[in-house]
Amino acid sequence: MTERTSIHGQWSSRLAFILAATGSAVGLGNIWKFPYIAGENGGGAFVLVYLLCVFFIGIPIMMAEVLIGRRGRQSPINTMRALAHEEHQHGIWQLIGWAGMVAGLLIISFYSVIAGWAVAYVFRTASGAFTGVTADGAASIFGGLVSDPERLLAWHTMFMAMTVVVVSRGVRSGLEKMVTVLMPILFLLLLLLVGYAMNSGKFMEGLEFLFAPDFSAITAGGILTAMGHAFFTLSLGMGAIMVYGSYLPKNVSITKVVVVVAIMDTVVALLAGMAIFPLVFANGLEPGAGPGLIFKTLPLAFGHMAGGTLFGTLFFILLTFAAWTSSISLIEPAVAWLVENRGIDRAKASTAVGGVAWLLGIVTIMSFNSWAFEFTFAGEAKSSGLFDVLDILTANIMLPLGGLAMAIFAGWYMSERSTMDELNLGDGLIYRGWRFLVRFIAPLAVVIVFLQLLGVIKV
Ligand code: PHE
């Protein structure tokens, strides 16, 4: 095979890829979503299932996704088409790319609305609104925000515009540097919050909630949510990591970078949990408060610690940045495809994709007020209507199915020679272990979770 290159350029180094992929992985999923879904699903057992999924399903599938991307060197749709052809397989495999593009659009539509909450909180915190705030006060400030569609629309519009601007300029210029500085600061601030939580009086209770598994607290839906979250938090199954992989220089070890990214992503999520749950218990709050959880608890910490206004403002700025570096990867597959197949420039392509996603975002905006409704999904109570539907459809169904298809393609339909060449590990234990996981364990695990959800099997 002659060496392919991407028309969209390449990461400047291994570190650049690690930063970009970590930027994609670390986002609202870690800091906003993980704590609230862990809280809704009873903590420990949920966290354990999530961790097992990250290691046995997430890491091998992430390696598969990166290797497919790097071998194809195009947008996910064209990469899948090219590789299917090259491996003498059916063209239907490009469906992975199409489904991923749709999943990305659906996810960014709600992701941008939630990121808008973070932006709103930058200004809220900076204005000193949380100084000395009570739990009820924090809850009512949050309630005031989400019950006002016009404000939500304004912040959503702003965040979507930010995303479009970066993607227009190409994900590699500017972005690389931004992430280098911001990620370490976010990490430090999380440590500060964990430090604060240690003195909240309920630190041990928080840790116990998070790490002591109580299997009676988890439902079939909870197990699915834990697995879906492993995909969501690692940005897997929709082509974001594939398209980033397509910009990866050939000499970089995929195994090493993937392990680093997965570890960083997991550490950030666990730190967020360790910061939030002690506060939840110290203030007599509900762990299962839903999507508003961090917005109701963190202001309590910032409102009572020395320098809280400054640290709080900084925290929400960084949360916005973390969301930003994820949102760009959500639309990059669609943008790269438009550039490749429609011959339009990046700026127009990003605007078009951002525009569609912006419009779809209105569904999420209304889910928290006028259109709100409650329903139960596989034993889990949901109260934010169509937002919850979108979340379940994408994170819990589309991403795992996309990841499953990628694992099967890399494990069963690509030749051993191709994957061995791309992973460049030789024919040793690590390569054999990866291949075993990607052919048997990861697909089986995904299928078992779906079957137990459908009630076909009982685990
Ligand atoms: N991983 C991101 C987060 O945890 C969300 C995301 C999902 C980004 C899928 C890209 C693709 O916030």
Side-chain angles (χ1 to χ4, degrees):
M1 188 185 93
T2 51
E3 182 66 29
R4 267 194 210 103
T5 52
S6 168
I7 62 162
H8 311 281
Q10 234 185 52
W11 303 111
S12 57
S13 63
R14 173 176 115 144
L15 184 67
F17 174 81
I18 293 184
L19 291 170
T22 310
S24 170
V26 175
L28 295 172
N30 309 62
I31 295 168
W32 158 75
K33 191 173 182 191
F34 171 71
Y36 99 72
I37 55 176
E40 284 181 338
N41 290 287
F46 174 91
V47 175
L48 184 65
V49 176
Y50 151 76
L51 290 175
L52 290 173
C53 288
V54 165
F55 288 97
F56 292 104
I57 307 178
I59 291 180
I61 292 187
M62 197 170 192
M63 288 171 66
E65 192 167 340
V66 177
L67 88 80
I68 290 172
R70 184 166 74 182
R71 209 161 175 81
R73 292 265 186 240
Q74 297 158 69
S75 66
I77 293 171
N78 291 328
T79 283
M80 286 311 302
R81 182 185 294 140
L83 291 197
H85 180 77
E86 196 171 282
E87 304 282 340
H88 310 291
Q89 303 301 343
H90 199 283
I92 192 86
W93 286 104
Q94 64 178 287
L95 213 65
I96 291 181
W98 289 102
M101 199 163 91
V102 173
L105 269 175
L106 295 177
I107 295 175
I108 183 72
S109 82
F110 69 77
Y111 204 83
S112 169
V113 175
I114 312 293
W117 300 355
V119 186
Y121 267 59
V122 171
F123 296 96
R124 267 299 136 99
T125 317
S127 74
F130 296 121
T131 312
V133 79
T134 60
D136 284 343
S140 86
I141 289 176
F142 178 73
L145 173 68
V146 296
S147 61
D148 183 347
E150 286 163 38
R151 261 159 69 202
L152 295 184
L153 183 67
W155 295 122
H156 163 56
T157 307
M158 178 170 158
F159 185 80
M160 195 63 88
M162 287 163 56
T163 304
V164 167
V165 167
V166 174
V167 180
S168 311
R169 312 174 85 202
V171 285
R172 291 158 309 285
S173 65
L175 179 83
E176 281 187 22
K177 276 167 234 112
M178 214 164 76
V179 196
T180 330
V181 197
L182 296 173
M183 296 297 255
I185 311 183
L186 180 66
F187 199 77
L188 287 180
L189 273 179
L190 274 174
L191 286 179
L192 173 91
L193 280 171
V194 174
Y196 182 82
M198 280 177 178
N199 297 313
S200 67
K202 289 284 162 76
F203 191 61
M204 289 323 284
E205 208 168 309
L207 285 195
E208 213 178 291
F209 180 77
L210 211 48
F211 295 114
D214 165 14
F215 284 96
S216 66
I218 196 166
T219 60
I223 292 176
L224 178 73
T225 304
M227 178 181 77
H229 188 64
F231 284 91
F232 184 84
T233 191
L234 294 173
S235 305
L236 290 184
M238 53 73 56
I241 289 298
M242 194 186 288
V243 80
Y244 276 15
S246 76
Y247 311 141
L248 184 65
K250 177 77 187 169
N251 57 357
V252 172
S253 155
I254 291 178
T255 316
K256 281 193 200 136
V257 293
V258 163
V259 168
V260 171
V261 172
I263 290 177
M264 295 213 273
D265 186 75
T266 308
V267 170
V268 171
L270 296 179
L271 285 178
M274 288 160 66
I276 305 277
F277 287 109
L279 291 178
V280 168
F281 296 120
N283 291 283
L285 298 169
E286 253 313 303
L293 185 67
I294 68 160
F295 296 95
K296 296 176 186 165
T297 48
L298 290 180
L300 293 170
F302 295 128
H304 296 272
M305 66 167 76
T309 301
L310 178 71
F311 288 133
T313 309
L314 203 57
F315 177 83
F316 286 111
I317 291 177
L318 292 166
L319 183 58
T320 304
F321 274 101
W324 199 4
T325 55
S326 301
S327 66
I328 57 176
S329 70
L330 281 162
I331 63 169
E332 178 66 14
V335 171
W337 177 75
L338 281 175
V339 171
E340 287 164 11
N341 287 45
R342 301 283 133 160
I344 49 179
D345 63 39
R346 281 193 81 85
K348 287 209 189 81
S350 322
T351 312
V353 177
V356 173
W358 175 83
L359 208 62
L360 279 172
I362 293 172
V363 171
T364 295
I365 289 179
M366 305 311 283
S367 301
F368 293 100
N369 38 72
S370 321
W371 299 357
F373 61 84
E374 288 173 14
F375 67 99
T376 315
F377 175 76
E380 287 192 289
K382 300 287 175 188
S383 59
S384 313
L386 291 173
F387 158 73
D388 286 318
V389 173
L390 275 177
D391 174 39
I392 293 170
L393 176 68
T394 54
N396 297 3
I397 298 171
M398 294 182 84
L399 300 186
L401 287 180
L404 173 68
M406 289 175 198
I408 292 176
F409 184 74
W412 296 92
Y413 288 84
M414 284 179 81
S415 71
E416 222 177 17
R417 201 167 40 82
S418 306
T419 53
M420 209 183 285
D421 170 55
E422 210 57 55
L423 288 180
N424 205 10
L425 293 163
D427 192 5
L429 194 63
I430 304 183
Y431 177 75
R432 287 288 142 206
W434 169 78
R435 200 165 143 85
F436 181 72
L437 286 171
V438 101
R439 299 185 89 190
F440 299 102
I441 303 302
L444 263 177
V446 174
V447 169
I448 287 174
V449 171
F450 278 120
L451 290 181
Q452 62 96 28
L453 180 82
L454 298 172
V456 179
I457 50 171
K458 196 107 193 81
V459 279

